[in-house]
Amino acid sequence: PTAGAEIDVKVLAYNLYWWNLFDRNGGRGRSAGKLIARGAGSAGFDMMGFQECDDPGRVLADAEAEGLQGGDYEVVRGPHALAIVYKSSRWSLLGKGDENVGEDSKRQYFGKRGAQWLRAQDQSSGRTAFFVNHHGPLPVSSGGDCTGSATSINIMRLIADNAHAEDAIVLLGDFNAQPSSSRIKELDARLHRVFSGTAIGGVDHIYSNCKAQASGTNLGAGGSDHDALAQTSASDRARRL
C-alpha cells in the first residue's frame, strides 16, 4: 500500500479448542458462534482465521444462526485443522495455499505445524490483501523441532514467495508463543504486531505489514481455552519485507 491509500480490514483470530468445546461438549449451545456473531457487528469480518477447527462449515453455520452479519462468506480449509473464512461478498479470491513451517518438540509432539494463506482483491477499490493463518509448534514458547526463529523465518519466506508488493498483509493465529519468545521477537523485527491476547501468557497475535489506525478487541473465550481476537485497521503505509 502507498501512503494515503487506505483499506479497512476487520479480522478475527480464534483457536476453537475443538476436542473439548465441540467433541466433548457439543459446542456448548453454539457458544463460539455467538461470540463470532457478536464480535462481528453490523459490518462483519473480512477474514476469520481458525485454529483447532475440524469443521469450519459448522462454525460458520453456528455464527450465521446466531445473527452473523456483513454479507456472504466462503470457507477455505487448510491442513492441521486450520481454516480461513472470508467475506466473499467483498473479496474476490486470487489464490490460496499452505505449507508446513514448523514441528512440535518430541517433548509434546502432535506433528508438523502449518501456515495457510489466501490472497484476495477488494471488489470495490481493487486493493489486494494477503492473509496468513498459523498455528505454532509446542511446547509453548519453545522452538519445537527447530529453533523458534526458524519457524518465524519460514513464515516470512511463505509470505515473500506468495504475496505481491502492493498487498496489505495480515498474519494471525495461535502462535503457541508468548511475546518474550524468540519466535515472536523475530516476527516483531519484520512485521508490526498490532494486537495480542492474554490467555496462556499471550500466545495469540495479529500482525500487519502496515502502520495502521488499529483497534483491537479481546472478545473472550466463547468456550475455548484461548482468546478470540478481533482487529479493525485502516492501513496506510507498508513495512518492506
Side-chain angles (χ1 to χ4, degrees):
T2 57
E6 294 188 351
I7 183 169
D8 296 325
V9 179
K10 185 173 183 177
V11 299
L12 174 74
Y14 196 9
N15 181 319
L16 288 156
Y17 196 32
W18 194 274
W19 73 269
N20 186 288
L21 178 55
F22 289 90
D23 289 343
R24 178 174 289 183
N25 292 290
R28 291 189 184 274
R30 299 200 294 248
S31 61
K34 290 175 182 175
L35 180 151
I36 293 166
R38 183 175 65 250
S42 60
F45 287 109
D46 292 292
M47 194 275 281
M48 296 176 268
F50 297 129
Q51 307 86 46
E52 294 190 38
C53 182
D54 289 352
D55 186 354
R58 175 179 177 179
V59 178
L60 177 59
D62 284 356
E64 290 176 333
E66 294 296 334
L68 176 65
Q69 301 180 64
D72 300 323
Y73 295 88
E74 295 288 339
V75 171
V76 179
R77 298 182 70 111
H80 312 305
L82 291 169
I84 292 174
V85 176
Y86 73 98
K87 188 193 297 186
S88 57
S89 54
R90 178 185 179 187
W91 298 92
S92 296
L93 183 65
L94 298 177
K96 61 182 179 178
D98 56 75
E99 64 180 75
N100 291 327
V101 294
E103 188 172 14
D104 291 339
S105 166
K106 292 179 174 60
R107 290 175 290 147
Q108 193 175 356
Y109 193 81
F110 291 91
K112 295 183 183 298
R113 298 292 176 148
Q116 175 193 18
W117 63 267
L118 178 155
R119 186 168 184 263
Q121 184 174 45
D122 179 31
Q123 296 164 8
S124 176
S125 69
R127 299 288 303 283
T128 53
F130 189 84
F131 299 111
V132 185
N133 179 30
H134 171 59
H135 191 193
L138 288 168
V140 167
S141 295
S142 167
D145 195 45
C146 56
T147 65
S149 58
T151 298
S152 297
I153 290 169
N154 287 338
I155 294 172
M156 296 306 303
R157 179 179 50 78
L158 176 149
I159 294 172
D161 287 347
N162 296 286
H164 292 210
E166 67 273 16
D167 293 349
I169 294 170
V170 177
L171 164 65
L172 54 71
D174 165 17
F175 291 74
N176 274 322
Q178 298 158 347
S180 61
S181 69
S182 62
R183 265 183 269 167
I184 298 306
K185 288 180 178 179
E186 182 69 31
L187 287 172
D188 285 352
R190 299 168 182 269
L191 294 169
H192 301 287
R193 178 157 50 95
V194 293
F195 197 65
S196 297
T198 58
I200 316 177
V203 297
D204 304 285
H205 310 282
I206 300 175
Y207 282 89
S208 174
N209 69 324
C210 297
K211 291 183 177 179
Q213 300 292 329
S215 174
T217 305
N218 188 326
L219 300 176
S224 176
D225 60 342
H226 283 258
D227 304 312
L229 306 182
Q231 186 233 327
T232 303
S233 64
S235 303
D236 60 5
R237 187 172 13 165
R239 169 178 280 185
R240 291 187 178 183
L241 303 181

Short mmCIF file of all heavy atoms in Angstrom, two decimals, residues 180-230:
data_model
loop_
_atom_site.label_atom_id
_atom_site.label_comp_id
_atom_site.label_asym_id
_atom_site.label_seq_id
_atom_site.Cartn_x
_atom_site.Cartn_y
_atom_site.Cartn_z
N SER A 180 7.76 -12.81 24.77
CA SER A 180 9.18 -12.89 25.11
C SER A 180 9.92 -13.98 24.33
O SER A 180 11.15 -14.07 24.42
CB SER A 180 9.35 -13.15 26.61
OG SER A 180 8.74 -14.39 26.97
N SER A 181 9.21 -14.80 23.56
CA SER A 181 9.83 -15.93 22.87
C SER A 181 10.63 -15.47 21.66
O SER A 181 10.39 -14.40 21.10
CB SER A 181 8.75 -16.92 22.43
OG SER A 181 7.96 -16.36 21.40
N SER A 182 11.56 -16.32 21.21
CA SER A 182 12.35 -15.99 20.04
C SER A 182 11.49 -15.92 18.79
O SER A 182 11.77 -15.14 17.87
CB SER A 182 13.48 -17.02 19.85
OG SER A 182 12.96 -18.31 19.63
N ARG A 183 10.43 -16.73 18.73
CA ARG A 183 9.53 -16.70 17.58
C ARG A 183 8.89 -15.33 17.40
O ARG A 183 8.86 -14.78 16.30
CB ARG A 183 8.43 -17.74 17.75
CG ARG A 183 8.69 -19.07 17.10
CD ARG A 183 7.51 -19.99 17.27
NE ARG A 183 7.63 -20.79 18.47
CZ ARG A 183 6.64 -21.50 18.99
NH1 ARG A 183 5.45 -21.47 18.42
NH2 ARG A 183 6.81 -22.23 20.07
N ILE A 184 8.38 -14.79 18.49
CA ILE A 184 7.67 -13.51 18.41
C ILE A 184 8.67 -12.36 18.25
O ILE A 184 8.40 -11.41 17.49
CB ILE A 184 6.78 -13.32 19.65
CG1 ILE A 184 5.72 -14.43 19.69
CG2 ILE A 184 6.11 -11.95 19.62
CD1 ILE A 184 4.88 -14.57 18.42
N LYS A 185 9.81 -12.44 18.90
CA LYS A 185 10.82 -11.38 18.72
C LYS A 185 11.28 -11.32 17.26
O LYS A 185 11.49 -10.23 16.72
CB LYS A 185 12.00 -11.62 19.65
CG LYS A 185 11.69 -11.35 21.12
CD LYS A 185 12.90 -11.60 21.99
CE LYS A 185 12.60 -11.29 23.45
NZ LYS A 185 13.77 -11.56 24.33
N GLU A 186 11.40 -12.48 16.62
CA GLU A 186 11.81 -12.50 15.21
C GLU A 186 10.73 -11.86 14.33
O GLU A 186 11.04 -11.06 13.44
CB GLU A 186 12.06 -13.94 14.76
CG GLU A 186 12.52 -14.09 13.33
CD GLU A 186 13.92 -13.55 13.10
OE1 GLU A 186 14.75 -13.61 14.03
OE2 GLU A 186 14.19 -13.07 11.98
N LEU A 187 9.48 -12.19 14.58
CA LEU A 187 8.40 -11.59 13.79
C LEU A 187 8.26 -10.10 14.08
O LEU A 187 7.97 -9.31 13.17
CB LEU A 187 7.08 -12.32 14.07
CG LEU A 187 6.94 -13.72 13.47
CD1 LEU A 187 5.68 -14.39 13.99
CD2 LEU A 187 6.95 -13.68 11.95
N ASP A 188 8.47 -9.71 15.34
CA ASP A 188 8.38 -8.29 15.70
C ASP A 188 9.38 -7.44 14.93
O ASP A 188 9.16 -6.25 14.69
CB ASP A 188 8.61 -8.10 17.20
CG ASP A 188 7.42 -8.52 18.05
OD1 ASP A 188 6.35 -8.81 17.48
OD2 ASP A 188 7.56 -8.57 19.29
N ALA A 189 10.50 -8.04 14.56
CA ALA A 189 11.53 -7.31 13.82
C ALA A 189 11.16 -7.14 12.35
O ALA A 189 11.79 -6.33 11.65
CB ALA A 189 12.87 -8.04 13.93
N ARG A 190 10.14 -7.86 11.89
CA ARG A 190 9.83 -7.89 10.47
C ARG A 190 8.43 -7.38 10.13
O ARG A 190 8.18 -6.94 9.00
CB ARG A 190 10.00 -9.32 9.94
CG ARG A 190 11.42 -9.83 10.09
CD ARG A 190 11.53 -11.32 9.84
NE ARG A 190 12.90 -11.79 10.05
CZ ARG A 190 13.82 -11.84 9.10
NH1 ARG A 190 13.52 -11.44 7.87
NH2 ARG A 190 15.04 -12.27 9.36
N LEU A 191 7.51 -7.49 11.08
CA LEU A 191 6.13 -7.04 10.89
C LEU A 191 5.68 -6.24 12.11
O LEU A 191 6.30 -6.30 13.17
CB LEU A 191 5.19 -8.24 10.69
CG LEU A 191 5.36 -9.09 9.43
CD1 LEU A 191 4.54 -10.37 9.54
CD2 LEU A 191 4.95 -8.31 8.19
N HIS A 192 4.59 -5.52 11.96
CA HIS A 192 4.01 -4.79 13.08
C HIS A 192 3.05 -5.72 13.84
O HIS A 192 2.07 -6.21 13.27
CB HIS A 192 3.22 -3.57 12.59
CG HIS A 192 4.04 -2.60 11.80
ND1 HIS A 192 4.98 -1.76 12.36
CD2 HIS A 192 4.07 -2.35 10.47
CE1 HIS A 192 5.55 -1.03 11.42
NE2 HIS A 192 5.01 -1.36 10.26
N ARG A 193 3.35 -5.98 15.11
CA ARG A 193 2.41 -6.73 15.94
C ARG A 193 1.38 -5.73 16.47
O ARG A 193 1.69 -4.90 17.32
CB ARG A 193 3.13 -7.45 17.08
CG ARG A 193 2.19 -8.22 18.01
CD ARG A 193 2.92 -9.35 18.75
NE ARG A 193 4.14 -8.91 19.40
CZ ARG A 193 4.21 -8.53 20.68
NH1 ARG A 193 3.13 -8.52 21.44
NH2 ARG A 193 5.37 -8.15 21.19
N VAL A 194 0.17 -5.84 15.97
CA VAL A 194 -0.82 -4.82 16.26
C VAL A 194 -1.77 -5.19 17.40
O VAL A 194 -2.42 -4.31 17.98
CB VAL A 194 -1.64 -4.47 15.00
CG1 VAL A 194 -0.75 -3.80 13.96
CG2 VAL A 194 -2.31 -5.70 14.40
N PHE A 195 -1.83 -6.48 17.74
CA PHE A 195 -2.68 -6.86 18.87
C PHE A 195 -2.31 -8.26 19.33
O PHE A 195 -1.96 -9.11 18.51
CB PHE A 195 -4.16 -6.81 18.48
CG PHE A 195 -5.10 -6.78 19.66
CD1 PHE A 195 -5.11 -5.70 20.53
CD2 PHE A 195 -5.97 -7.84 19.91
CE1 PHE A 195 -5.97 -5.67 21.62
CE2 PHE A 195 -6.84 -7.81 20.99
CZ PHE A 195 -6.84 -6.73 21.84
N SER A 196 -2.37 -8.48 20.65
CA SER A 196 -2.08 -9.79 21.24
C SER A 196 -3.10 -10.10 22.31
O SER A 196 -3.68 -9.20 22.93
CB SER A 196 -0.67 -9.82 21.86
OG SER A 196 0.32 -9.64 20.88
N GLY A 197 -3.31 -11.39 22.54
CA GLY A 197 -4.20 -11.82 23.60
C GLY A 197 -3.50 -11.94 24.93
O GLY A 197 -2.32 -11.58 25.08
N THR A 198 -4.21 -12.48 25.91
CA THR A 198 -3.66 -12.67 27.25
C THR A 198 -3.70 -14.12 27.70
O THR A 198 -2.98 -14.48 28.63
CB THR A 198 -4.43 -11.80 28.27
OG1 THR A 198 -5.82 -12.15 28.24
CG2 THR A 198 -4.28 -10.33 27.95
N ALA A 199 -4.52 -14.96 27.10
CA ALA A 199 -4.64 -16.36 27.51
C ALA A 199 -3.31 -17.09 27.32
O ALA A 199 -2.57 -16.83 26.37
CB ALA A 199 -5.74 -17.06 26.72
N ILE A 200 -3.01 -18.00 28.24
CA ILE A 200 -1.80 -18.82 28.20
C ILE A 200 -0.56 -17.94 28.06
O ILE A 200 0.38 -18.24 27.32
CB ILE A 200 -1.88 -19.88 27.07
CG1 ILE A 200 -3.28 -20.54 27.06
CG2 ILE A 200 -0.81 -20.97 27.26
CD1 ILE A 200 -3.48 -21.54 25.95
N GLY A 201 -0.59 -16.83 28.74
CA GLY A 201 0.55 -15.92 28.73
C GLY A 201 0.65 -15.04 27.50
O GLY A 201 1.63 -14.32 27.33
N GLY A 202 -0.38 -15.07 26.64
CA GLY A 202 -0.39 -14.22 25.46
C GLY A 202 0.23 -14.89 24.25
O GLY A 202 1.29 -14.48 23.77
N VAL A 203 -0.43 -15.95 23.72
CA VAL A 203 0.13 -16.71 22.60
C VAL A 203 -0.60 -16.44 21.28
O VAL A 203 -0.17 -16.93 20.23
CB VAL A 203 0.11 -18.23 22.89
CG1 VAL A 203 0.99 -18.56 24.08
CG2 VAL A 203 -1.31 -18.74 23.11
N ASP A 204 -1.69 -15.70 21.32
CA ASP A 204 -2.47 -15.38 20.13
C ASP A 204 -2.13 -13.95 19.69
O ASP A 204 -2.14 -13.03 20.50
CB ASP A 204 -3.97 -15.49 20.42
CG ASP A 204 -4.35 -16.86 20.96
OD1 ASP A 204 -4.38 -17.80 20.16
OD2 ASP A 204 -4.59 -16.97 22.18
N HIS A 205 -1.85 -13.78 18.40
CA HIS A 205 -1.35 -12.50 17.91
C HIS A 205 -1.93 -12.16 16.54
O HIS A 205 -2.30 -13.06 15.77
CB HIS A 205 0.18 -12.50 17.81
CG HIS A 205 0.88 -12.97 19.03
ND1 HIS A 205 1.05 -12.18 20.15
CD2 HIS A 205 1.46 -14.17 19.33
CE1 HIS A 205 1.71 -12.86 21.08
NE2 HIS A 205 1.96 -14.08 20.60
N ILE A 206 -1.95 -10.86 16.24
CA ILE A 206 -2.29 -10.36 14.91
C ILE A 206 -1.18 -9.42 14.46
O ILE A 206 -0.82 -8.49 15.19
CB ILE A 206 -3.65 -9.64 14.91
CG1 ILE A 206 -4.77 -10.58 15.35
CG2 ILE A 206 -3.97 -9.09 13.50
CD1 ILE A 206 -6.13 -9.91 15.49
N TYR A 207 -0.65 -9.66 13.27
CA TYR A 207 0.42 -8.85 12.67
C TYR A 207 -0.05 -8.22 11.37
O TYR A 207 -0.96 -8.72 10.71
CB TYR A 207 1.63 -9.73 12.34
CG TYR A 207 2.51 -10.09 13.50
CD1 TYR A 207 2.26 -11.24 14.25
CD2 TYR A 207 3.61 -9.32 13.84
CE1 TYR A 207 3.08 -11.60 15.31
CE2 TYR A 207 4.44 -9.67 14.90
CZ TYR A 207 4.17 -10.80 15.62
OH TYR A 207 4.98 -11.15 16.68
N SER A 208 0.63 -7.13 10.99
CA SER A 208 0.39 -6.49 9.71
C SER A 208 1.71 -5.94 9.17
O SER A 208 2.63 -5.68 9.93
CB SER A 208 -0.62 -5.35 9.85
OG SER A 208 -0.76 -4.62 8.65
N ASN A 209 1.78 -5.75 7.85
CA ASN A 209 2.93 -5.07 7.27
C ASN A 209 2.72 -3.57 7.21
O ASN A 209 3.58 -2.84 6.71
CB ASN A 209 3.22 -5.60 5.86
CG ASN A 209 2.15 -5.23 4.85
OD1 ASN A 209 0.97 -5.19 5.17
ND2 ASN A 209 2.54 -4.99 3.60
N CYS A 210 1.58 -3.11 7.70
CA CYS A 210 1.24 -1.70 7.59
C CYS A 210 1.15 -1.04 8.95
O CYS A 210 0.64 -1.63 9.91
CB CYS A 210 -0.10 -1.52 6.88
SG CYS A 210 -0.11 -2.11 5.18
N LYS A 211 1.64 0.19 9.01
CA LYS A 211 1.31 1.02 10.16
C LYS A 211 -0.15 1.39 10.01
O LYS A 211 -0.58 1.85 8.96
CB LYS A 211 2.19 2.27 10.18
CG LYS A 211 3.65 1.98 10.50
CD LYS A 211 4.45 3.26 10.59
CE LYS A 211 5.89 2.96 10.97
NZ LYS A 211 6.71 4.20 11.03
N ALA A 212 -0.90 1.18 11.04
CA ALA A 212 -2.35 1.26 10.87
C ALA A 212 -3.01 2.01 12.02
O ALA A 212 -2.51 2.05 13.13
CB ALA A 212 -2.94 -0.15 10.78
N GLN A 213 -4.14 2.61 11.69
CA GLN A 213 -5.05 3.08 12.71
C GLN A 213 -5.82 1.85 13.16
O GLN A 213 -6.84 1.48 12.58
CB GLN A 213 -5.99 4.14 12.12
CG GLN A 213 -5.29 5.36 11.56
CD GLN A 213 -4.63 6.19 12.66
OE1 GLN A 213 -5.12 6.23 13.79
NE2 GLN A 213 -3.53 6.83 12.33
N ALA A 214 -5.31 1.17 14.18
CA ALA A 214 -5.81 -0.14 14.55
C ALA A 214 -6.59 -0.09 15.85
O ALA A 214 -6.24 0.63 16.78
CB ALA A 214 -4.66 -1.13 14.68
N SER A 215 -7.65 -0.89 15.88
CA SER A 215 -8.45 -1.04 17.08
C SER A 215 -8.63 -2.52 17.34
O SER A 215 -9.29 -3.22 16.57
CB SER A 215 -9.81 -0.36 16.90
OG SER A 215 -10.65 -0.60 18.00
N GLY A 216 -8.00 -3.02 18.42
CA GLY A 216 -8.08 -4.44 18.74
C GLY A 216 -9.00 -4.68 19.92
O GLY A 216 -9.13 -3.85 20.82
N THR A 217 -9.66 -5.84 19.88
CA THR A 217 -10.59 -6.21 20.95
C THR A 217 -10.38 -7.67 21.30
O THR A 217 -10.32 -8.53 20.42
CB THR A 217 -12.05 -6.01 20.51
OG1 THR A 217 -12.24 -4.67 20.08
CG2 THR A 217 -13.00 -6.30 21.67
N ASN A 218 -10.27 -7.95 22.59
CA ASN A 218 -10.27 -9.32 23.08
C ASN A 218 -11.73 -9.70 23.33
O ASN A 218 -12.37 -9.17 24.24
CB ASN A 218 -9.44 -9.42 24.36
CG ASN A 218 -9.24 -10.85 24.81
OD1 ASN A 218 -10.10 -11.70 24.64
ND2 ASN A 218 -8.07 -11.12 25.41
N LEU A 219 -12.26 -10.60 22.53
CA LEU A 219 -13.68 -10.96 22.60
C LEU A 219 -13.97 -12.00 23.67
O LEU A 219 -15.13 -12.34 23.89
CB LEU A 219 -14.15 -11.49 21.24
CG LEU A 219 -14.02 -10.52 20.06
CD1 LEU A 219 -14.44 -11.21 18.77
CD2 LEU A 219 -14.85 -9.26 20.29
N GLY A 220 -12.93 -12.51 24.34
CA GLY A 220 -13.14 -13.55 25.33
C GLY A 220 -12.95 -14.93 24.73
O GLY A 220 -12.45 -15.08 23.62
N ALA A 221 -13.37 -15.96 25.46
CA ALA A 221 -13.07 -17.34 25.08
C ALA A 221 -14.20 -18.02 24.32
O ALA A 221 -13.95 -18.87 23.47
CB ALA A 221 -12.72 -18.14 26.33
N GLY A 222 -15.45 -17.75 24.65
CA GLY A 222 -16.56 -18.41 23.98
C GLY A 222 -16.55 -19.91 24.12
O GLY A 222 -16.99 -20.63 23.23
N GLY A 223 -15.99 -20.42 25.23
CA GLY A 223 -15.90 -21.85 25.45
C GLY A 223 -14.56 -22.45 25.11
O GLY A 223 -14.30 -23.62 25.39
N SER A 224 -13.68 -21.68 24.50
CA SER A 224 -12.32 -22.13 24.19
C SER A 224 -11.41 -21.88 25.38
O SER A 224 -11.81 -21.27 26.38
CB SER A 224 -11.81 -21.40 22.95
OG SER A 224 -10.47 -21.75 22.67
N ASP A 225 -10.16 -22.35 25.25
CA ASP A 225 -9.15 -22.00 26.25
C ASP A 225 -8.24 -20.88 25.75
O ASP A 225 -7.24 -20.56 26.39
CB ASP A 225 -8.32 -23.23 26.64
CG ASP A 225 -7.57 -23.85 25.47
OD1 ASP A 225 -7.93 -23.57 24.32
OD2 ASP A 225 -6.63 -24.63 25.72
N HIS A 226 -8.59 -20.29 24.62
CA HIS A 226 -7.84 -19.18 24.02
C HIS A 226 -8.73 -17.95 23.89
O HIS A 226 -9.96 -18.04 23.91
CB HIS A 226 -7.34 -19.56 22.62
CG HIS A 226 -6.16 -20.46 22.63
ND1 HIS A 226 -4.88 -20.01 22.39
CD2 HIS A 226 -6.06 -21.79 22.84
CE1 HIS A 226 -4.03 -21.04 22.46
NE2 HIS A 226 -4.72 -22.13 22.73
N ASP A 227 -8.10 -16.80 23.73
CA ASP A 227 -8.80 -15.56 23.40
C ASP A 227 -9.20 -15.57 21.93
O ASP A 227 -8.42 -16.00 21.07
CB ASP A 227 -7.91 -14.33 23.62
CG ASP A 227 -7.35 -14.25 25.02
OD1 ASP A 227 -8.14 -14.41 25.97
OD2 ASP A 227 -6.14 -14.00 25.17
N ALA A 228 -10.39 -15.07 21.65
CA ALA A 228 -10.74 -14.70 20.28
C ALA A 228 -10.38 -13.23 20.11
O ALA A 228 -10.83 -12.38 20.86
CB ALA A 228 -12.22 -14.92 20.03
N LEU A 229 -9.53 -12.93 19.13
CA LEU A 229 -9.04 -11.57 18.93
C LEU A 229 -9.64 -10.98 17.66
O LEU A 229 -9.55 -11.59 16.59
CB LEU A 229 -7.52 -11.55 18.82
CG LEU A 229 -6.72 -12.20 19.95
CD1 LEU A 229 -5.23 -12.03 19.69
CD2 LEU A 229 -7.11 -11.62 21.30
N ALA A 230 -10.22 -9.80 17.79
CA ALA A 230 -10.74 -9.07 16.63
C ALA A 230 -9.93 -7.80 16.47
O ALA A 230 -9.55 -7.16 17.45
CB ALA A 230 -12.21 -8.73 16.82
#
